[in-house]
Amino acid sequence: LESVIDNVSPDCVVWKTPSGIVEWMRKEESSEQRFLVDNTVLRASTPGLGYRKSMSLDDKDGNHASPWGWHVTGELVGDQWLLTSKGLYLPVFL
């Protein structure tokens, strides 16, 4: 197993199946980044920023919010929306 791992590119994931077969796959490039949910400028009295089901401020999820000061992972969509790893949207600016 070690000789196989030594010959695999560092951008691959390697594992051994229960049957003993060594498999690997290349890691995909990800455009996901980590973002801070910041209330410094907005100064909202809410406990956090509400998620949206689409890229519309009016399409609130209603069940989920990201607390101020927390980090979320996602991908920027244009310059006004973040598609989070939860599959929900957060506005970049309010």
Side-chain angles (χ1 to χ4, degrees):
L1 179 61
E2 286 78 19
S3 62
V4 173
I5 292 173
D6 289 342
N7 292 318
V8 174
S9 171
D11 62 342
C12 291
V13 177
V14 179
W15 68 95
K16 188 174 181 180
T17 65
S19 62
I21 299 170
V22 176
E23 297 186 10
W24 64 86
M25 68 178 169
R26 188 169 303 281
K27 296 178 191 174
E28 291 186 21
E29 288 293 321
S30 174
S31 54
E32 285 195 348
Q33 299 174 23
R34 195 170 152 192
F35 297 86
L36 173 66
V37 182
D38 187 19
N39 192 24
T40 306
V41 175
L42 185 61
R43 296 181 180 250
S45 60
T46 60
L49 181 60
Y51 286 96
R52 296 343 195 244
K53 293 184 262 181
S54 68
M55 292 187 293
S56 169
L57 288 175
D58 296 329
D59 195 13
K60 294 181 181 178
D61 172 64
N63 297 317
H64 302 95
S66 183
W68 301 117
W70 281 31
H71 287 91
V72 293
T73 304
E75 180 179 347
L76 284 174
V77 179
D79 59 353
Q80 296 186 9
W81 290 95
L82 175 69
L83 176 57
T84 68
S85 57
K86 294 181 179 216
L88 298 169
Y89 294 87
L90 286 174
V92 175
F93 303 103
L94 284 178

